Every structure is written in structure tokens, then in C-alpha cells.
Amino acid sequence: MRTTPEQDELRAAVRSVLDRHAGAAAWAPLTGQIGVAALAVPEAYGGLGCGLPEIAVVAEELGRALSPVPFLGSAVLPVTALLASGDWDACARLLPGLAEGTRTGALAWAEEGGWEAESLTTTAGEGPRLTGRKEYVLAPSERPDLILVFARDADTRRLSLYELQGDEGEFTTAPTLDRTRGLARIRLDRTPARLLCADGEGVLARVRDVAVTVLAAEQVGGAERALRDTVRQVGERVQFGRPIGSFQAVKHRLADLYTAVESARSLALAAAHADAEPLAAAAARTVCSETYRTVAGEMIQLHGGIGVTWEHPAHDHLKRAHQSAHLFGPPAAHRARLAAALGLVPSP
């Protein structure tokens, strides 16, 4: 499966910006010059109306650079939730600002019990007013302008999607293993909100599949970069009077890693071109997560002592690989739903 010339141009433009602007400073040119915040937003709401293949291209480049910009957290998750909600008035009110990059967004989804719909306990009382605690919110250290929340009706227990009103709710930055991706907690105590969609489980299902598809592309980018840097290192690192890359055992390890990365890339592309169809998304999630963790672990091993120094990015790849593997549910959970859908095990 090949990328189009337009997608190749998008990749080159994103890579050029990331090469010139380090860290969070890349967000302004990425949104202002390329319009990455507008990719997922339909043209009717001021966006570019691109599909998941283009979003995956950007995600792969961001993963390659270990970029901390809020693309997944702000330009993908809340946009996907709003579009899946079917609340077109809310879309007209909220999406243009997200597309311009003048506003940031976040989706408060998971709780301590996990990411699955049945584990969510935040409730919506009369008002509606939300009560509960949300964890693992993809957000920078500053509070986003827009926060969407999944919560259950206190009486019917139906899962719905809400928009927090103003600056209500207690937003705090959470400590993370991965210093390149910010996470936050949100504490809600009868916090005012606006109902956007009563079919929260349908919205959550769509958001989950899009989230893991985009994350899979990001993981492929990180794995490819980690492997490339490792190949360069073994060509320069000398033991017993010769580069360690000349040893047959090392060559075999690198060949296995290359095969794993290219296989993961194929699955990630397939999921993106299938518009995050659930089975394709689950397969990409499972394989790409495990591939990135494997490559990052081998990167540490083959770099030797320098791989665990603070100055070298090897440890950042390892930390991002492990933290990303737990976002939106661990690979085992997606492997289980894939197996159930294929009839290999009984549905839970």
C-alpha cells in the first residue's frame, strides 16, 4: 500500500518543521503553516476535511520526532468525539477554533478502572452536573480551552458525552513515565456541563478505534526512528576491534526488527485506509504497540551504556513505547476483542 504524492508532500512538510522547531514550539508552525490541527475537521467547519491516511502520516512523523505537541489529544480525540456525537450545532460552535489552532481541546475518558465503557463511573446529575474523577487525559500542562467528558446518567446509567462549562472542574497535571507526552487528571464535583450526545457508547466506540489507529501510526514512526538510530550506532560502536554491526548475531537481530517494523507499518496503513474499522484498528493497535516496545528495548541494549544516559533519546523511546502501550487500553484487551470478533473465543 503506497502513499500518494500529496501525502508524501505532507510528510516532508511536517518533517521539515519538526527538524527546525524543537519540542512544543513546533505546534505554532505546524498549525499555522501546514494546518495539522485542521486535518480531521470537515471543510464545512473551517477544516481541511482530510481522512485518516493523512492524519496517520502526521502522527507517524510526530512519533518519529518524539514530539510533545498536542496533535492526538487536541486535534484528533475531541474532534472525533464531536463529529461522532452528531451535535452539529456544537460542531459549528467548537470545531472552527480547534481547526485554526487558536483553541486546544481534550477528551476526559478513562478512569482508574480503565478505558472500557463499562468501567466508567463518573455520573451526571440534575443540571447536568458531573461528579467523578478522570485520569490519563492527554493534555499539556496548561488547561485546554475545551474539555469533553464521558459520564453516566445518575438514574439510567446511560453513558453520554458532555462539554464542561467554562473553567469548571479541577485540572491537575499528572506525573508521567514519558516526559514527551503530558497527561492530566480532572476532578469533577457537581461540575456544570452541557449534554452533547446521549449515545455515549456509540461515540466512545468510534473514538477508541480512531485513537488506536492514529496511535499505531505514531508508534510505527517511533519504532522506525529507533531502529534507524540503532543501525547507525552499531556501525560506529566498536568491540573486539570491529563495529558490532559486523557480527552475525547483531545482523540477525536488526533484520528481525526491520521485518517487525515494516509489518507494523503495513497494519497501521491498512487501519488508516479502512477508516479505523474495528478489526483493523485492533490488529494495528496490538502489533504496533508490541513492535515499538521490542525495538525500543533492543535500542537500549545495542546502544550500550550511552543508551541509558539522560542526554540520549533512547530512554525516551523506551518510556514512550511503554506508556503508549497503556493508552486506550492495553494490547491484550484489543487482542481479546479481535479474537472475539473472529469467533476464536467467546465474546465477554
Side-chain angles (χ1 to χ4, degrees):
M1 188 176 296
R2 295 181 178 273
T3 55
T4 66
E6 292 78 10
Q7 290 166 356
D8 292 337
E9 290 178 8
L10 174 61
R11 181 187 304 280
V14 172
R15 185 174 297 190
S16 176
V17 169
L18 294 174
D19 287 344
R20 289 182 285 111
H21 300 274
W27 187 236
L30 284 172
T31 56
Q33 298 173 21
I34 304 176
V36 299
L39 288 177
V41 178
E43 294 181 8
Y45 302 113
L48 297 177
C50 295
L52 274 178
E54 288 73 32
I55 294 169
V57 165
V58 174
E60 187 175 333
E61 287 303 307
L62 295 175
R64 176 183 176 275
L66 289 171
S67 177
V69 300
F71 179 69
L72 180 57
S74 180
V76 176
L77 298 185
V79 171
T80 302
L82 282 168
L83 293 174
S85 75
D87 188 330
W88 309 123
D89 289 337
C91 287
R93 178 169 53 86
L94 300 173
L95 288 179
L98 294 177
E100 293 169 1
T102 56
R103 302 188 75 201
T104 56
L107 183 64
W109 170 2
E111 299 174 9
E112 289 187 356
W115 300 83
E116 299 300 323
E118 56 269 20
S119 69
L120 306 185
T121 60
T122 297
T123 57
E126 188 176 352
R129 291 178 175 271
L130 308 185
T131 300
R133 185 182 178 92
K134 292 294 184 179
E135 304 281 351
Y136 319 121
V137 180
L138 272 65
S141 56
E142 303 83 12
R143 180 191 176 101
D145 302 299
L146 166 68
I147 299 177
L148 305 181
V149 180
F150 284 109
R152 294 193 177 280
D153 184 276
D155 297 321
T156 67
R157 304 300 297 163
R158 179 181 59 191
L159 187 65
S160 301
L161 180 68
Y162 297 85
E163 172 195 355
L164 289 192
Q165 296 299 288
D167 293 331
E168 299 286 348
E170 181 183 327
F171 177 93
T172 57
T173 302
T176 62
L177 173 68
D178 176 13
R179 63 176 180 171
T180 68
R181 190 185 329 259
L183 297 177
R185 299 186 180 106
I186 298 178
R187 183 174 178 273
L188 307 167
D189 185 8
R190 294 185 49 78
T191 302
R194 181 198 305 264
L195 176 65
L196 296 180
C197 179
D199 179 20
E201 295 205 15
V203 175
L204 180 57
R206 174 59 180 170
V207 169
R208 176 199 60 193
D209 292 328
V210 170
V212 297
T213 296
V214 176
L215 184 60
E218 180 191 287
Q219 290 168 320
V220 167
E224 187 275 332
R225 177 63 177 271
L227 177 57
R228 193 201 69 175
D229 289 353
T230 302
V231 170
R232 184 177 65 245
Q233 171 67 8
V234 300
E236 299 172 352
R237 180 183 170 194
V238 175
Q239 288 186 347
F240 306 107
R242 54 191 283 198
I244 67 170
S246 65
F247 294 112
Q248 195 70 21
V250 174
K251 290 180 180 180
H252 286 167
R253 289 168 73 176
L254 293 175
D256 289 343
L257 294 179
Y258 176 79
T259 301
V261 170
E262 291 306 307
S263 298
R265 189 192 307 279
S266 295
L267 282 170
L269 281 172
H273 281 273
D275 194 35
E277 185 275 329
L279 293 186
R285 164 59 168 171
T286 299
V287 173
C288 294
S289 293
E290 294 175 349
T291 297
Y292 192 15
R293 286 195 293 190
T294 299
V295 174
E298 291 283 0
M299 183 185 195
I300 294 286
Q301 291 288 326
L302 292 172
H303 271 74
I306 192 176
V308 294
T309 60
W310 195 252
E311 294 79 7
H312 198 277
H315 71 98
D316 284 323
H317 279 289
L318 185 66
K319 291 171 182 176
R320 173 168 281 204
H322 280 276
Q323 181 168 297
S324 296
H326 293 279
L327 289 177
F328 318 127
H334 294 275
R335 187 162 50 244
R337 70 185 180 96
L338 178 62
L342 295 174
L344 301 178
V345 295
S347 300

